[in-house]
Structure formats: C-alpha cells, structure tokens
Amino acid sequence: MMADYKVITPDFVNLHISTSNSDIPSFNDKRFPKDTTIADLKAKLELITGGSSATMQLEGYSKDNKLICTLSDDSAQLGQYPLEDGMRLHVVDKFSIKNELDFGNVPKFELSDELYANKADSLRAFLMRNKLGHYNEDNIQNKEKLKKEEQEICEAVVLGSRCKVEIAGAATRLGCVMFKGKVEGLDGFWIGVKYDEPLGKNDGSVKGKRYFECPMNYGAFVKPQNVLCGDFPEEDYDLNEEI
C-alpha cells in the first residue's frame, strides 16, 4: 500500500521589488508571509516604495521577466498567487508621495495649508496614516519617558561599585563600574564596566576617546537598565583545576 504524501511549502516567499518609476531604484529581496492579504501587502509596499496603497497595482514576474500574474484581489492572500523565491513583484503607481520628496530645484505648484491637509495622497497624509515621525505622539512621549528613566538610573549608579550585567541573549557577567554618563557618538546614557574576565569589546575607549582604563577586551559600555549594582564578589577562576 502506497503511503500518502503531503507537499509542504514554505510559509514565506522572498521577492525582488521593482517599480514603474525609473527614478526609484529596485529593492533587494523582501520576505513576505504567504498568508498576508494583498491589501496588507500594499500597505507594506507603501512604506517601502513610497507609492500609495490606494492606487498601486501589483504584477508578478518570473525569473526570466515574464508576466505571470496580476495581484488584483485585495482580499486574496499572497500565497494564492504562483510566486516563488527570486521572482519579481512590480509596483505600478504614480508615486505621488515619493515625488513630493524629489522635486529638487524645479518650481512647484504650492497648495494652501487647508487644501494640502485635505489631500489623501500627500506626504503629510502618508505620515499621519502610518503614525510616523512627529505624527506619532505616543511614540514621542514614550521615548522621552524612557530617556528620563535611563538618566535617573544612570545617576543612581555609584562609581567603583561591583555590578552584574544582564543582557538578553548573553551570559551574565560580573565587573566593576568605571564610568557613567554620555558617550560621544552614542545616543542616551551609558555605564562603563570593567569585567572580571575578558568578555568585553574594548579597553575603556570608544572611537579613540578614553573614558576609563582597563586591559583590552575587559571593557564594555552598556545601558543603565542592564546593570545591577550590589555585593557581587569577584569569582575565583582556578585555571589549574581540571574535571
């Protein structure tokens, strides 16, 4: 009796993205879930290409650049179309959002603020619709709150104190606090730690500027929220001990 076999296909597809606007370069392969609806796919492509999800049309091309399908049903899923890894997804649109950013020195027709605010395909509408930049008030407030909390944690850390550094995905490390404050070229506040073992990334300096002294690979700069100060005695590493 023959066994039943089931063909299993990947849940994602990698597609090369191109556009009908010759001024917009093509994009390297993007990975999309096959269960994404075409409407949601257009919303993602709006962020990638600058086209408008309300007006764009999508075409699928084979690896030898032959048109194989038109993704015209917004309620359909991407996996319902015969698209495979390495094929090309072509975005056809007027790219009015992108064009607003690329007018250069060419004289442009300027709308009044009232008329511009009512345009559905303007850059402002695009930013507001996706809650980007200064149109995302919650994000701005959260960032300011986090920065303030980070500064408060940093100021509370005592120089010279023993500490434990815990970062997601990395082993816990013990050391001593050698620096706290701003680091040139890096955003926010930082804690400079001299580790008990050579598990760091530097010698207490960043881009040629020194913040504290320690041997190479014993130093590290970590965010204040990843540092816990306390009674953490240096462990005794007996290199001669064998098991």
Side-chain angles (χ1 to χ4, degrees), residues 17-21 38 41-43 45-46 49 51-61 67 69-74 81 88-95:
I17 309 299
S18 63
T19 73
S20 58
N21 188 336
I38 301 307
L41 177 62
K42 288 181 177 179
L45 291 171
E46 184 178 69
T49 67
S52 171
S53 61
T55 59
M56 71 171 59
Q57 298 178 1
L58 304 181
E59 300 174 344
Y61 286 82
L67 177 65
C69 63
T70 300
L71 290 69
S72 56
D73 185 354
D74 284 352
Y81 292 92
R88 179 165 60 92
L89 191 61
H90 188 61
V91 181
V92 180
D93 194 53
K94 295 180 179 179
F95 295 96

